[in-house]
Amino acid sequence: MSLALFWIFAAITLASAVGVVFFRSPVSAAMSLVMAFVGLAALFVTLDAFFIGVVQVLVYAGAVMVLFLFIIMLLDLRADERRPVKLAAWAGGGAVVGGFMAVLVQVVGSLPALQQTKPALANPAVNDVAMVGFALFRNFNLPFQVIGVLLLVATIGVVVLSRRELK
Amino acid sequence: MATLANYLIVSGLLFSVGLAGVLLRRNILIIFMGLELMLNAANLSLVAFSRFNLGQDGFPDYNAQVFVFFVITVAAAEVAVGLAIIVALYRARQTTHVEDLDTLKF
Amino acid sequence: MTSAPWIILFTPLAAAVAILFLGRFSKPLSAGLAIGSAVFGCALSWWVFFQPDSADPAIRFYWMDFGEQLQIPIGMTVDHLSRVMLVVVTTIASLVFIYSVGYMRTEEGYWRYFAGLSLFLFSMLGIVLADNFVMMFIFWELVGLSSYILIGHYFKKDSAADAAKQAFIVNRIGDFGFLLGILFLWAATGTLMFGELTRGVAGFADYPIYLTVACVLLFCGTVGKSAQMPLHVWLPNSMEGPTPVSSLLHAATMVAAGVYMLARIFPILAAAPHALDVIAWVGGITCFAAALMATQQDDIKRILAYSTISQLGYMVLGIASAPTADVPMFHLFTHAFFKCLLFLCAGSVIVGMHHEQNIWKMGALKNKMPLTMLAMFVGSLALAGCPFFSGYYSKDLIIAWAVESHPVLGWLSVATAGLTAFYAFRLFFVVFLGKPRGDHARCASESPLVMLVPLACLAVPAFIGGWPVIEKLFFHIEEPQHIPHALHPILWALFAVGGGSAFFLYRGAAKDPISIPLFANRLYIDAGYAWGVRVIQDGGAAVLSWADRWVVDLLVVQVPSKLAWVCGFVLRFLQLGNIQAYAFFFGAGAIGLLYLLIFK
């Protein structure tokens, strides 16, 4: 059951991701990306990371994707016109991606420890929001506040960048 | 039951697809989406490691999930700034096609 | 008693500082402060001189203390030697300070001059009172500094600025040796105190060569400061300074610092006979060569300057040949008075002549400046060694000891005595007899009272300073036993011959009847130095220029810059301007690195 779900969600995620790369229209690509994020959230849930799954849906599938679509609308982007495919670029990109996959498969295949299945939790009813909260505010309080400053800086940066008389 | 290796392979594939998007697509917005995919692939690995590597109390290692939380936050900030830059760029050059943005060429 | 030396030492410094801040507002104030401090120091010095030796522990503190190995104290020596020197320095300084009021009254930089004089007095007293080598060296350098300031008093004149620089640099050469000598002695004995060094010399018995080298290096300091050959060139040039400065620094006291230092380390030198031989030869040759040069100079101050070098040569020779340091110190004592007198007379003449210094433009001043002439006559007789004048006693004593211990140098110094009489009276006759040779000489006038009183005060010790009764008061001297009986008659005869020939040659001469270019051009030593410096400088500059052009410019600058340009030119073809190409390079590099890290 669990394995089947894993494969279903994995397949959805990967297929949507491939869609992102291959759809010609930006809007289709963005919708495909939403699907990929939702699939990923489901994968997080199969890993008992409910909080991260929810955040994934809220932040990515919600906020980030709205932003993407908004920009697509704002720039009035249409589907790319067909340009001659550059063989060298495709070959180079394919080589890098293939090389990465080769390294990854070799690493994963060579480590028997990775073949373990999920160990049983001490208590199947995980209260992981509380746990993440504890970890966040106890162990990572300072980084948490720093990240708040980062968001503020990003906000200010965006405002500055968006001003029309930017020279 | 899915093994850790399964998750890592899925994560790796996702990363590769994102990388392919970055390397092959010419639309800067799609490239940006590819970047997001790569970030999420990394998150998947982190959560998988957290689940498969239980702490002494028998629960997942939540430090990894906090890490993912931070990655998501930074990614959100990055998207906001990145998209603002793209808008500014579009205003200046009327294009989102990276092959048209080659001013730094020798 | 123990604090008196400290007061004597620091009063002039306080005066110098006060003049520096207040002197520019009032001429009488700056002169008054300087003269007050000097006279006060003089009175205190005479008081100290007549105090019995006290058993009080000297006040001393440690300026630097690095444990047993190296302690640098600041302390005072008050012994027989330093008391005599204190009296000489402060007495002459007081008289010269007073004289300066008259000499400098129309000159610029009045307060600067008196501040410099006070600083000089402080430095000189520091040398006299120092009880260890480091303190002496510090004040030794301070003397060099104040000498630089005072020689360069007319610094707007190029020749004065150059002379000041030359004096400073030439002295540095000697001081380098001096410092090395100090370090040698310290390394061998572990102490810098004069008293302990004297006892520490016994440890040198196994390494006589080491002690010899150390003493010769110390003597380098004397060669520089006391203007011995071959570093004598700065002293005649330093006559660019005001005449009272020449009198005080370059005749009476500062140049005597080198001799005083030798007297201070006399017990150490006595243990190094080979070093004494070197000292004797340097002193003897300087004494003779400087006298030769003095016979052909035309500048009134230069003649006296060369006579100073010659007399310092006598003192150095005396250090090397006499059994006690009192013999050369006796000559230092008498010389200080008569040479100071001579210089102050020269200053008086120069003021009367409206700053004309060439003796061939003077003449017949005996009617215009009778008092100056009288004082100059006393000084010349003392310098020439006329019987019953001070120079006669002290110089003949050194000559007698030199004849006994170094016969060759001894007879050379006997010949020098004749030359001394000749050039001293050449100067005197040309300036005061004959006919006036210029307009200035015709309308010259006697100097003011403030200048004549110091002359009178100095003329007395220049006359009686060598009499046995005074000698007994200051010194403990023994006569050499084995000298030829003819020595003294020979010296009298030489005095008569030298003085007489000068009288007949120069009595009415309109220009110099004798012309010996070799002597007039100072044995070509100055020219030789100039040539040597030029050759070394030009040669060095050529080498450096070559190195700059071919090593620095070509190898260090041009080649790497071209290399960097070529690398940059090749690498900039990687700048495709395409983001994805960069992403490709980055990705490929990262994967390659992963592969290497994990599988290799």
Side-chain angles (χ1 to χ4, degrees), chain C residues 242-539:
Chain C
T243 308
V245 169
S246 312
S247 168
L248 178 62
L249 276 68
H250 306 129
T253 56
M254 172 188 135
V255 288
V259 177
Y260 175 78
M261 187 268 284
L262 291 182
R264 176 59 71 206
I265 60 169
F266 193 79
I268 304 173
L269 293 177
H274 295 296
L276 279 180
D277 284 344
V278 173
I279 293 171
W281 278 97
V282 170
I285 291 172
T286 303
C287 166
F288 184 67
L292 285 181
M293 292 185 241
T295 56
Q296 282 287 297
Q297 300 300 314
D298 293 335
D299 184 313
I300 184 169
K301 285 173 74 182
R302 278 181 186 269
I303 297 172
L304 293 174
Y306 280 107
S307 91
T308 302
I309 298 174
S310 175
Q311 298 300 309
L312 288 166
Y314 271 120
M315 295 178 212
V316 170
L317 180 61
I319 289 276
S321 46
T324 68
D326 272 5
V327 173
M329 283 303 289
F330 182 34
H331 192 51
L332 191 159
F333 176 80
T334 57
H335 171 258
F337 289 109
F338 69 70
K339 186 50 64 66
C340 187
L341 173 65
L342 282 170
F343 262 106
L344 293 189
C345 290
S348 177
V349 169
I350 291 167
V351 168
M353 290 288 297
H354 300 93
H355 294 270
E356 175 57 62
Q357 300 194 3
N358 190 332
I359 56 171
W360 295 106
K361 302 222 167 113
M362 302 173 183
L365 293 180
K366 63 179 188 297
N367 302 321
K368 306 282 193 330
M369 312 177 80
L371 293 172
T372 304
M373 184 198 78
L374 197 62
M376 188 104 177
F377 191 59
V378 172
S380 299
L381 286 174
L383 172 65
C386 174
F388 307 115
F389 282 79
S390 61
Y392 163 75
Y393 295 96
S394 56
K395 187 163 73 180
D396 287 10
L397 193 62
I398 289 178
I399 292 174
W401 276 111
V403 168
E404 175 151 312
S405 61
H406 295 87
V408 178
L409 294 170
W411 290 109
L412 203 60
S413 66
V414 170
T416 308
L419 283 173
T420 307
F422 177 75
Y423 70 68
F425 283 104
R426 169 177 177 266
L427 170 62
F428 181 79
F429 292 139
V430 169
V431 171
F432 288 102
L433 300 185
K435 287 183 275 297
R437 299 184 193 85
D439 294 337
H440 288 319
R442 264 172 224 111
C443 54
S445 60
E446 185 59 283
S447 300
L449 200 62
V450 71
M451 290 166 75
L452 292 176
V453 168
L455 293 187
C457 293
L458 281 166
V460 175
F463 181 35
I464 65 166
W467 289 3
V469 56
I470 293 176
E471 177 206 308
K472 294 282 181 298
L473 182 62
F474 287 90
F475 301 102
H476 314 288
I477 286 173
E478 44 188 305
E479 297 276 346
Q481 301 301 323
H482 308 289
I483 52 166
H485 294 296
L487 183 62
H488 285 294
I490 288 174
L491 285 170
W492 295 333
L494 277 173
F495 165 71
V497 168
S501 57
F503 180 71
F504 288 113
L505 278 171
Y506 291 101
R507 183 182 33 168
K511 62 180 185 57
D512 202 336
I514 304 174
S515 175
I516 307 174
L518 181 65
F519 299 161
N521 289 313
R522 314 159 202 175
L523 304 180
Y524 295 105
I525 291 173
D526 293 54
Y529 280 151
W531 180 81
V533 168
R534 203 174 57 240
V535 165
I536 291 169
Q537 194 165 317
D538 287 359

Side-chain angles (χ1 to χ4, degrees), chain B residues 21-26 28 31 98-99 101-102 104-106, chain C residues 569 572-573 575-580 582-585 587 591:
Chain B
V22 170
L23 287 177
L24 301 180
R25 291 299 300 262
R26 301 288 183 251
I28 200 164
I31 290 174
V98 288
E99 284 182 339
L101 302 170
D102 58 355
L104 285 177
K105 187 176 176 180
F106 160 54
Chain C
F569 186 80
R572 68 179 161 183
F573 289 106
Q575 302 293 325
L576 300 173
N578 185 338
I579 302 169
Q580 284 166 317
Y582 301 148
F584 167 74
F585 295 143
I591 289 160

Side-chain angles (χ1 to χ4, degrees), chain A residues 2-3 6-7 10 13-14 17-26 29-30 33 36-37 40 43-44 46-52 55-56 59-60 64-65 67-68 71-72 74-78 80-81 83 86 89-90 92-94 96-97 100-101 104-105 108 113-123 125-128 131-132 135-136 139-140 143-144 147 150-151 154-155 157-158 161-164 166, chain B residues 1-92 95-100:
Chain A
S2 164
L3 188 63
F6 165 76
W7 283 121
T13 308
L14 287 174
V18 171
V20 171
V21 177
F22 284 94
F23 280 129
R24 202 157 284 283
S25 153
L33 188 60
F37 285 157
L40 207 54
L43 282 179
F44 289 155
T46 65
L47 287 166
D48 298 307
F50 304 105
F51 173 69
I52 295 296
V55 168
Q56 174 81 8
V59 174
Y60 273 112
V64 169
M65 285 328 296
L67 210 53
F68 266 105
I71 297 300
I72 291 166
L74 190 72
L75 301 187
D76 196 17
L77 294 182
R78 315 238 171 243
D80 290 355
E81 69 273 31
R83 292 200 186 194
K86 283 189 177 169
W90 279 87
V96 168
V97 172
F100 174 75
M101 278 313 295
L104 183 81
V105 168
V108 172
L114 297 181
Q115 298 303 325
Q116 60 171 318
T117 53
K118 272 182 274 193
L121 293 174
N123 178 4
V126 197
N127 187 2
D128 74 330
M131 301 298 269
V132 171
L136 191 57
N139 302 344
F140 300 96
F144 180 71
I147 216 102
L150 178 82
L151 284 176
T155 312
V158 169
L161 281 171
S162 310
R163 288 169 60 183
R164 216 158 247 296
L166 187 75
Chain B
M1 293 283 271
T3 63
L4 181 53
N6 295 143
Y7 280 98
L8 290 183
I9 291 294
V10 170
S11 163
L13 281 171
L14 198 56
F15 189 90
S16 305
V17 173
L19 186 61
V22 170
L23 287 177
L24 301 180
R25 291 299 300 262
R26 301 288 183 251
N27 190 325
I28 200 164
L29 214 60
I30 308 290
I31 290 174
F32 214 58
M33 293 179 188
L35 278 176
E36 294 304 313
L37 281 177
M38 287 160 78
L39 278 170
N40 278 288
N43 283 353
L44 182 58
S45 306
L46 284 167
V47 175
F49 281 126
S50 135
R51 177 61 184 83
F52 281 83
N53 184 23
L54 298 186
Q56 286 175 339
D57 54 359
F59 287 110
D61 188 346
Y62 286 104
N63 288 341
Q65 299 201 9
V66 170
F67 203 177
V68 171
F69 176 82
F70 284 141
V71 171
I72 291 172
T73 318
V74 172
E78 180 220 336
V79 166
V81 175
L83 289 177
I85 290 173
I86 288 171
V87 170
L89 199 61
Y90 188 80
R91 266 193 215 134
T95 182
T96 56
H97 206 277
V98 288
E99 284 182 339
D100 298 335

